[in-house]
Amino acid sequence: MMELYKGRPADADSRLPRELRVYDCLDGLGITYYRTDHAPAETMEDCKAVDDVLGVAMCKNLFLCNRQKTKFYLLLMPAAKPFKTKELSAQINAARLSFASGDAMLEYLDIQPGAVSVMGLMNDAENGVTLLIDEDLLHDEFIGCHPCVNTSSLKLCMKDVLETFLPAVRHGYTTVKLVGC
């Protein structure tokens, strides 16, 4: 049974370095966060039980690139919204968006498929990834995301992510408006 914890895990021995770096970053910035551990969450359906424990809906995180694989984007959007490539492409003036490879995900964000998260931007020192956030998420008080692994999930204040975390990791964001069902 999943439990809700405040802050980092007491036992770091079984944690990956990329996960521990997230906790170090958040703690260093003084950001309060809640955490739950769980079996690998590989689909949005897997996230439902996690949502219930955290008391927040995990957002959908998509790692995208242009056709030439010269521009990369991390899109955060509500889980229930459908993703329409053409709709987003028009808003950001990028033709032929597609899902970026797992290799690119590792290279830019130090994240493996299934664990994509805004937290990965702390690993993007060269600012090779543009963050896109659906405007509906910006109205939420909290955001749910992975700490760069898909066996734990975090609940953070959206304000802390936008006003403290992103500036600290030298990233801004572009607001997009994706149409619901």
Side-chain angles (χ1 to χ4, degrees), residues 57-126:
M58 297 290 285
C59 66
K60 193 183 297 184
N61 298 268
L62 304 177
F63 190 55
L64 307 165
C65 64
N66 63 358
R67 181 177 47 157
Q68 300 83 3
K69 297 179 176 64
T70 56
K71 293 190 179 190
F72 293 87
Y73 306 90
L74 175 59
L75 171 64
L76 279 56
M77 61 186 286
K81 268 193 181 180
F83 172 62
K84 297 175 185 165
T85 307
K86 184 177 179 181
E87 178 185 17
L88 180 61
S89 294
Q91 288 185 52
I92 63 171
N93 198 25
R96 297 203 183 201
L97 284 178
S98 64
F99 291 99
S101 69
D103 289 341
M105 198 178 297
L106 268 171
E107 177 184 343
Y108 286 93
L109 302 177
D110 192 25
I111 296 178
Q112 295 183 327
V116 178
S117 163
V118 67
M119 295 292 109
L121 292 175
M122 63 182 272
N123 301 312
D124 181 29
E126 302 297 318

